């Protein structure tokens, strides 16, 4: 692959990820506007979490298939498919409709595995952190939904706002058709054999656990914050959307910085430092629920989760080459699933204790466990210190 091709594919695939994530998280910022039918708090949590399921599980086959048939075809097929649940969402008139649409919108989250598998083919290994980090800017799609969907819904209604996603998807279908790399290097290896092989490697489990926490925090906060800020702090839907968008944008901008830091510094040691910051942010959220301290805690989690996401995907290419698509899929799947449980847990905790503080304490404890495993891995893998 020549350098000029890489320069085209990086922005194209990053913008494609942006569109995928925008579609994936379309429901959450619009939910405060869905007042034409009744939705209970428990149903809201389930509807918000549902898109994460398919968006996580499909990351393994998407990563594998990217190596087999190339990123261009995967993006094309994904965006054509997403047209259907987006349209169905625009005519939804019950919680069942929202759950069905949300499930299949998960395809938008699954496309994350495409770029992290494809783009390292265009860059030397020492620049893998940069490539994957810049691709990760596509997470801004979640922020775009949070920033733009509420004010547009105020002006034209939430159903018409959803239909605008179809226009954006159409543009990305054309972009990938004409600009996608038709001659991307293919890597063919039996998926079953790859899974069996990597399942014997302890590093896959640790990297998955770390990403479960860092990317899971990013996804979970992005999904539950709009409704949570409205119901807990009595903010307007537009204000809640702006605050959520700020969290997502900050975490997303920090992701490529994490990859670059991993290229220049000892990646594992840097990841440990970042997780200490995430633990502090979670402890702040669990100890004080004033809007100011809640905001500070959220911003600290955003910075550290974003840096951690970039650092973990800097570590992956250092350990895996031929199995990169499968491992990327496994790790990114676990990261996505990390965003599924928190909205449900928070709703359950609030119902049981009248406060969400214990849920944030659980995040801090998970970070502490991850930190311990990082020190243990550091003793076994001195080359990534």
């Amino acid at each position: 692959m020549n350098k000029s091709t890489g320069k085209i594919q990086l922005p194209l695939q990053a913008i494609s990820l942006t569109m995928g994530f925008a579609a994936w998280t379309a429901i959450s910022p619009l939910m405060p506007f869905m007042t034409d039918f009744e939705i209970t708090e428990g149903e809201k949590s389930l509807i918000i979490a549902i898109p994460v399921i398919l968006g996580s599980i499909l990351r393994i086959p998407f990563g594998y298939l990217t190596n087999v048939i190339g990123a261009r075809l995967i993006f094309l097929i994904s965006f054509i498919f997403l047209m259907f649940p987006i349209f169905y969402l625009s005519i939804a008139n019950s919680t069942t409709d929202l759950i069905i649409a949300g499930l299949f919108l998960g395809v938008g989250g699954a496309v994350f595995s495409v770029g992290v598998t494809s783009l390292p083919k265009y860059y030397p290994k020492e620049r893998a952190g940069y490539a994957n980090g810049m691709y990760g800017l596509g997470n801004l799609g979640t922020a775009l939904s949070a920033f733009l969907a509420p004010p547009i819904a105020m002006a034209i209604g939430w159903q018409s706002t959803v239909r605008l996603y179809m226009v954006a998807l159409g543009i990305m279908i054309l972009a990938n058709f004409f600009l996608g790399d038709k001659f991307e290097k293919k890597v063919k290896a039996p998926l079953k054999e790859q899974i069996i092989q990597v399942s014997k490697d302890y590093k896959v489990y640790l990297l998955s656990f770390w990403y479960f926490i860092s990317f899971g925090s990013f996804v979970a906060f992005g999904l539950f914050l709009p409704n949570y800020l409205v119901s807990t702090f009595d903010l307007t839907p537009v204000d809640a959307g702006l605050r959520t968008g700020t969290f997502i944008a900050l975490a997303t901008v920090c992701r490529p910085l994490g990859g670059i830091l991993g290229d220049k510094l000892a990646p594992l040691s840097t990841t440990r430092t970042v997780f200490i910051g995430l633990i502090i942010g979670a402890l702040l959220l669990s100890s004080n629920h004033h809007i100011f301290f809640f905001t500070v805690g959220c911003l600290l989690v955003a910075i550290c989760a974003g840096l951690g996401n970039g650092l973990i995907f800097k570590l992956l290419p250092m350990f895996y080459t031929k199995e990169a698509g499968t491992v990327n899929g496994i790790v990114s799947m676990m990261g996505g699933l990390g965003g599924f449980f928190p909205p449900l847990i928070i709703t359950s905790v609030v119902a049981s204790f009248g406060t969400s503080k214990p849920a944030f304490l659980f995040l801090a404890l998970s970070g502490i466990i991850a930190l311990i495993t990082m020190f243990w891995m550091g003793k076994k893998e001195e080359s990534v210190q």
Side-chain angles (χ1 to χ4, degrees):
M1 300 293 175
N2 59 55
K3 190 174 181 180
S4 61
T5 304
K7 287 183 177 180
I8 294 172
Q9 296 313 304
L10 179 54
L12 175 63
Q13 293 189 26
I15 296 171
S16 296
L17 178 62
T18 302
M19 188 61 244
F21 268 45
W24 186 32
T25 56
I27 295 178
S28 180
L30 291 172
M31 189 166 289
F33 297 91
M34 297 177 183
T35 56
D36 34 350
F37 50 94
E38 186 176 349
I39 311 174
T40 67
E41 288 301 314
E43 288 173 335
K44 287 179 180 178
S45 298
L46 180 62
I47 292 166
I48 288 171
I50 279 293
V52 177
I53 296 177
L54 206 60
S56 302
I57 295 173
L58 286 180
R59 289 183 173 191
I60 294 178
F62 272 39
Y64 173 77
L65 288 172
T66 298
N67 266 338
V68 176
I69 64 176
R72 176 177 176 269
L73 281 177
I74 298 295
F75 277 126
L76 279 173
I77 295 169
S78 299
F79 291 152
I80 292 170
F81 176 87
L82 281 169
M83 287 285 195
F84 296 96
I86 285 289
F87 176 75
Y88 188 74
L89 175 62
S90 73
I91 60 173
N93 56 22
S94 69
T95 55
T96 301
D97 289 339
L98 294 179
I99 289 172
I100 293 172
L103 176 64
F104 291 105
L105 285 177
V107 170
V111 299
F112 175 80
S113 291
V114 180
V116 294
T117 302
S118 171
L119 289 172
K121 300 174 184 177
Y122 302 95
Y123 293 87
K125 184 172 288 190
E126 60 270 15
R127 298 202 71 204
Y130 163 80
N132 280 335
M134 295 303 293
Y135 173 69
L137 284 174
N139 292 350
L140 281 172
T142 309
L144 287 177
S145 282
F147 277 131
L148 299 179
I152 295 175
M154 288 280 287
I156 64 174
W158 70 267
Q159 294 95 338
S160 297
T161 303
V162 171
R163 293 187 185 104
L164 291 178
Y165 285 82
M166 298 179 69
V167 177
L169 283 168
I171 293 171
M172 292 314 303
I173 289 170
L174 293 174
N176 277 279
F177 182 82
F178 289 108
L179 300 177
D181 185 3
K182 299 177 182 178
F183 307 103
E184 178 180 334
K185 180 182 177 182
K186 308 301 190 296
V187 180
K188 295 185 179 181
L191 178 59
K192 183 178 179 180
E193 291 182 11
Q194 286 193 15
I195 292 177
I196 292 174
Q197 182 176 347
V198 301
S199 67
K200 300 174 183 177
D201 189 347
Y202 80 95
K203 295 189 291 294
V204 173
Y205 298 96
L206 291 187
L207 291 164
S208 296
F209 176 50
W210 303 344
Y211 202 60
F212 181 90
I213 296 171
S214 65
F215 189 75
S217 298
F218 167 80
V219 173
F221 276 71
L223 290 176
F224 86 80
L225 276 179
N227 187 64
Y228 183 85
L229 290 172
V230 171
S231 60
T232 304
F233 297 106
D234 295 322
L235 302 180
T236 66
V238 173
D239 188 8
L242 290 173
R243 290 172 183 265
T244 303
T246 300
F247 174 93
I248 296 166
L250 184 58
T252 302
V253 169
C254 285
R255 183 173 187 131
L257 179 58
I260 293 169
L261 287 174
D263 285 339
K264 297 183 178 298
L265 304 174
L268 187 55
S269 297
T270 309
T271 307
R272 288 197 292 259
T273 302
V274 164
F275 264 68
I276 291 172
L278 189 147
I279 292 165
I280 293 172
L283 288 173
L284 185 59
L285 291 172
S286 68
S287 62
N288 195 304
H289 218 58
H290 187 277
I291 184 64
F292 173 78
F293 294 102
F294 186 85
T295 301
V296 173
C298 280
L299 293 178
L300 184 55
V301 169
I303 293 170
C304 295
L307 291 172
N309 292 339
L311 283 160
I312 291 166
F313 269 85
K314 159 62 184 178
L315 287 166
L316 280 172
M318 299 178 69
F319 298 122
Y320 307 100
T321 51
K322 186 178 180 181
E323 309 88 355
T326 303
V327 175
N328 285 338
I330 293 171
V331 174
S332 59
M333 177 191 73
M334 293 306 298
L337 288 176
F340 174 75
F341 298 102
L344 301 177
I345 292 173
I346 288 175
T347 301
S348 176
V349 167
V350 171
S352 301
F353 299 97
T355 176
S356 58
K357 290 181 181 180
F360 296 114
L361 181 60
F362 183 73
L363 172 60
L365 292 174
S366 300
I368 291 170
I369 295 171
L371 191 62
I372 293 171
T373 63
M374 288 177 194
F375 279 105
W376 179 76
M377 181 175 171
K379 293 181 180 180
K380 296 178 68 69
E381 307 288 340
E382 295 182 0
S383 61
V384 296
Q385 281 293 330

